[in-house]
């Protein structure tokens, strides 16, 4: 009788372990599924590098309907980013923002922090496709 109890315990343990194994396998699967949907679902990232007195790209392209994480790096000087028509502001306190651009179009990116003589020249575009 003791053997049967031991067997039952072993089978129970084996089941528990295999259940753990199965749920363990799902975790690597989930990101893979995300990156597979990737063109559809993965987060987009835009990095804006600011110097005196320009942003590193004239245009930053993103896709509509997908979350975008925008970050600001002040490589030279102190600058802040404001994107017209989108509620996004980046400054020294909050250097990243995530939002979902809904409407395709071209949105003006400007520096919203008076930074010097070239301040008004600091313009780029966020192009939502
Ligand atoms: Cu400025």
């Amino acid at each position: 009788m003791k053997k049967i109890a031991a067997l039952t315990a072993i089978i129970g343990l084996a089941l528990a372990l295999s259940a753990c194994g199965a749920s363990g396998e799902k975790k690597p699967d989930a990101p893979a599924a995300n990156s597979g949907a990737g063109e559809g679902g993965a987060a987009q990232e835009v990095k804006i590098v600011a110097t005196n007195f320009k942003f590193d790209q004239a245009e930053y392209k993103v896709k509509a309907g997908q979350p975008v994480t925008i970050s600001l790096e002040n490589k030279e000087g102190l600058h802040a980013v404001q994107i017209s028509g989108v509620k996004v502001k980046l400054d020294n306190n909050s250097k990243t923002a995530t939002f979902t651009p809904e409407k395709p179009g071209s949105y003006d990116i400007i520096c919203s922090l008076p930074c010097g003589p070239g301040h008004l020249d600091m313009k780029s575009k966020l192009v939502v496709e």
Side-chain angles (χ1 to χ4, degrees), residues 30-97:
N34 280 347
S35 65
E39 285 92 341
Q44 311 179 80
E45 279 189 39
V46 169
K47 187 177 182 186
I48 301 174
V49 179
T51 53
N52 289 338
F53 293 94
K54 62 186 174 87
F55 300 115
D56 66 326
Q57 288 183 47
E59 281 185 357
Y60 301 86
K61 287 187 181 178
V62 297
K63 286 177 183 167
Q66 298 173 25
V68 186
T69 298
I70 295 194
S71 60
L72 167 67
E73 183 188 335
N74 281 332
K75 208 169 186 180
E76 181 189 25
L78 272 182
H79 310 280
V81 160
Q82 190 172 345
I83 303 176
S84 67
V86 186
K87 284 179 185 169
V88 171
K89 282 186 178 180
L90 302 173
D91 55 30
N92 271 333
N93 297 318
S94 54
K95 284 186 173 171
T96 64

Side-chain angles (χ1 to χ4, degrees), residues 95-109:
K95 284 186 173 171
T96 64
T98 300
F99 74 105
T100 302
E102 301 292 350
K103 283 185 187 172
S106 181
Y107 300 83
D108 291 326
I109 300 176

Side-chain angles (χ1 to χ4, degrees), residues 53 55 78-80 110-116 118-120 122:
F53 293 94
F55 300 115
L78 272 182
H79 310 280
I110 59 164
C111 175
S112 59
L113 183 74
C115 54
H119 173 63
L120 291 174
M122 295 191 67

